[in-house]
Amino acid sequence: MQTHTPTTPFGRRTMSLGMMASQAVAKAVPEGAQVQKWKVFHSIREARDLIGATDRALAILNALLSFHPETELAGDGELIVWPSNEQLMARANGMPATTLRRHLSVLVECGLIIRRDSPNGKRFARKGRGGQVEQAYGFDLSPIVARAEEFEELADAVRAEKNAFRLAKERLTLLRRDVVKLIKTGIEENVPGNWGRVQQSYQAIVGRLPRSAPRQLIEDTCCDLHGLYTEILEVLGSFAKTQNPDANESHFGRHIQNSNPDSISESEKGSRKENEAGGSGAENDNLRSLPKRELPLGIVLDACPDVKDLVQGGEIRHWRDFLAAAEVARPLLGVSPSAWREACEAMGEVQAAITLAAILQRSDQINSAGGYLRSLTDKAREGKFSTWPMVMALLRAKLDASRSSAAKAPEPQSDGNKAGERLEVSDALLRSLERPRR
């Protein structure tokens, strides 16, 4: 909608509410205040939607600021510029006169400039004998100084919102990827469950996202996807547990309980092989029945969140970031370079890093991380080790802790419609799975 400055029948401008507010702000300029004009302009440009300024109005403001000879605007200095329309149009990339007048009015209404009209409506400066400006008529830039802090706060708010929106989109992408991978794993590994219904639930959740979704809708979708992700994860974890009740998951727990400084060390290989690396043919068969697909990065990070503290910014987006974090974790855990090299050779670099992240997650319960890693390396050489049970054990512990916390809190009102959307699994698996409370 076009904005026009109100005029009297004789063509003189009237005083609008926006102009009155701008003048009140200009009178509140602190004495001695100084701001960098281009820094403030940058803040105004970032917060233009909150301020109500248009791109063309900002092009004119940029031109007006260029007519002020100093890079700093001082509250006790001369802040009026008086370019003609022709000069303004030239510096605003040849903007037409009608467009120029319209967007000058926008700047006034937004409280970015103030008109200081001469009696005849012309813009000029009256100078004294020494050449100094005694009185000027034109556009007053005082609001730029008076509202500089406000503009910076608005720009910070815009930047924070953009960052929150970016993080929400990244989380949505990761959740979509991980849910799809988990569904595919469940189908390919013949895990009992109504996977067709799960796929329909997933499509229903992501299907309500428009092409350009607001942040709140993206965050709500992430919450729904995370709920579905948690349910699928519980099913896969329970399936791994029923298929492999005596393998690595229980072994991980036993090692933590039995570990002490005198019984485990990297040099005690004989004792380690006897107590840690021993396995049976049944255990080996159970390992072969576990999912063969690689663990998604998102699942590993959910199970081992402590590894994220080892990277700058606390963000791990790719496997290369995860491997870099593992390199940092190795010396912190006291794992020797030779033990780490042997683990990478036996398991592969990614699986060794996942193993190290799991050990880091329970480092307060493990006295000799190096000795434990060597024992798992020995088992990996014999085909008796998989990271799946180890990661699933951590996830189940996390879910159990979350479930117990939820049980202590007042139970919210349940929605009958949502109850029907829960993940359906076979009766046999339901009996072995402790379902979480909504």
Side-chain angles (χ1 to χ4, degrees):
M1 184 177 72
Q2 294 182 354
T3 303
H4 299 279
T5 302
T7 59
T8 66
F10 301 100
R12 296 294 302 278
R13 299 181 183 89
T14 61
M15 181 69 73
S16 69
L17 292 177
M19 293 171 67
M20 293 173 65
S22 299
Q23 292 189 6
V25 169
K27 290 179 181 178
V29 177
E31 242 183 272
Q34 285 188 333
V35 298
Q36 296 286 336
K37 65 180 182 181
W38 298 120
K39 181 180 178 182
V40 179
F41 177 75
H42 181 72
S43 298
I44 293 171
R45 185 172 57 191
E46 284 196 284
R48 61 185 178 275
D49 291 335
L50 297 179
I51 297 171
T54 61
D55 289 338
R56 287 200 168 188
L58 292 186
I60 298 171
L61 180 60
N62 181 82
L64 287 172
L65 288 172
S66 70
F67 283 102
H68 192 279
E70 306 296 333
T71 57
E72 287 189 346
L73 301 179
D76 54 358
E78 179 58 58
L79 295 175
I80 296 178
V81 292
W82 53 93
S84 65
N85 282 353
E86 289 73 17
Q87 290 174 314
L88 271 177
M89 286 187 291
R91 293 202 186 183
N93 300 319
M95 186 179 294
T98 53
T99 304
L100 176 71
R101 288 192 293 270
R102 184 168 68 251
H103 289 287
L104 279 171
S105 298
V106 172
L107 291 176
V108 173
E109 291 298 326
C110 290
L112 295 172
I113 61 172
I114 301 172
R115 292 183 188 271
R116 301 294 188 191
D117 288 340
S118 66
N120 63 2
K122 300 293 184 180
R123 300 175 207 137
F124 63 90
R126 186 175 289 118
K127 299 182 180 180
R129 291 183 178 181
Q132 72 276 12
V133 176
E134 293 182 344
Q135 192 170 17
Y137 298 99
F139 299 106
D140 191 345
L141 304 176
S142 296
I144 304 294
V145 180
R147 301 178 64 190
E149 187 175 344
E150 175 193 348
F151 294 144
E152 179 61 28
E153 291 175 355
L154 290 174
D156 286 341
V158 170
R159 286 191 288 265
E161 175 61 26
K162 286 182 178 179
N163 186 59
F165 185 73
R166 177 183 61 81
L167 293 177
K169 289 185 70 175
E170 286 181 0
R171 186 181 179 220
L172 176 65
T173 300
L174 292 173
L175 279 170
R176 292 182 66 170
R177 183 191 66 189
D178 290 344
V179 168
V180 169
K181 285 185 176 180
L182 287 180
I183 293 174
K184 193 172 182 180
T185 297
I187 294 173
E188 292 186 355
E189 301 299 333
N190 296 318
V191 178
N194 189 346
W195 295 107
R197 178 68 175 273
V198 178
Q199 287 178 315
Q200 290 176 0
S201 299
Y202 168 75
Q203 292 297 336
I205 292 172
V206 299
R208 61 175 184 257
L209 278 173
R211 185 178 297 273
S212 299
R215 178 173 63 87
Q216 187 57 52
L217 181 56
I218 292 177
E219 290 180 346
D220 291 343
T221 303
C222 285
C223 289
D224 293 340
L225 279 177
H226 190 267
L228 183 62
Y229 166 85
T230 301
E231 291 187 33
I232 300 173
L233 204 58
E234 283 199 358
V235 172
L236 293 180
S238 296
F239 177 73
K241 186 176 181 180
T242 56
Q243 293 294 103
N244 188 31
D246 300 318
N248 298 65
E249 180 178 341
S250 300
H251 174 77
F252 193 23
R254 286 199 305 272
H255 178 86
I256 292 171
Q257 295 298 326
N258 298 333
S259 176
N260 62 72
D262 299 325
S263 64
I264 298 178
S265 68
E266 290 197 45
S267 61
E268 295 174 341
K269 295 185 179 180
S271 175
R272 182 183 66 248
K273 288 182 180 179
E274 179 182 350
N275 296 327
E276 303 287 353
S280 64
E283 181 180 332
N284 204 19
D285 291 339
N286 284 330
L287 283 172
R288 292 194 185 97
S289 70
L290 290 173
K292 306 304 186 297
R293 298 179 60 80
E294 290 187 359
L295 283 161
L297 178 59
I299 296 176
V300 176
L301 293 177
D302 274 353
C304 312
D306 287 357
V307 75
K308 292 189 286 187
D309 296 335
L310 303 180
V311 297
Q312 188 175 5
E315 290 188 16
I316 295 179
R317 301 180 184 178
H318 309 284
W319 281 112
R320 62 176 177 270
D321 301 332
F322 186 79
L323 295 176
E327 290 289 349
V328 177
R330 181 195 63 75
L332 292 177
L333 290 170
V335 176
S336 66
S338 62
W340 176 240
R341 183 173 59 254
E342 291 173 10
C344 291
E345 290 172 356
M347 305 178 192
E349 195 173 14
V350 171
Q351 297 303 311
I354 293 172
T355 304
L356 199 65
I359 294 174
L360 174 68
Q361 192 62 34
R362 290 188 175 176
S363 58
D364 57 335
Q365 304 172 51
I366 298 177
N367 289 313
S368 177
Y372 188 32
L373 181 62
R374 283 191 184 275
S375 71
L376 296 180
T377 300
D378 292 340
K379 292 175 70 69
R381 289 195 186 98
E382 300 172 11
K384 298 177 181 178
F385 173 72
S386 169
T387 54
W388 265 87
M390 181 178 284
V391 171
M392 290 301 170
L394 290 170
L395 284 171
R396 287 184 66 83
K398 184 178 178 181
L399 291 173
D400 289 343
S402 175
R403 197 178 305 139
S404 61
S405 299
K408 294 177 183 177
E411 187 172 354
Q413 295 289 334
S414 60
D415 188 342
N417 293 330
K418 289 186 177 180
E421 296 177 2
R422 289 182 57 80
L423 174 64
E424 295 182 4
V425 298
S426 67
D427 293 336
L429 189 55
L430 279 173
R431 285 194 296 270
S432 66
L433 175 64
E434 180 185 356
R435 302 297 291 170
R437 178 178 290 182
R438 281 265 173 170

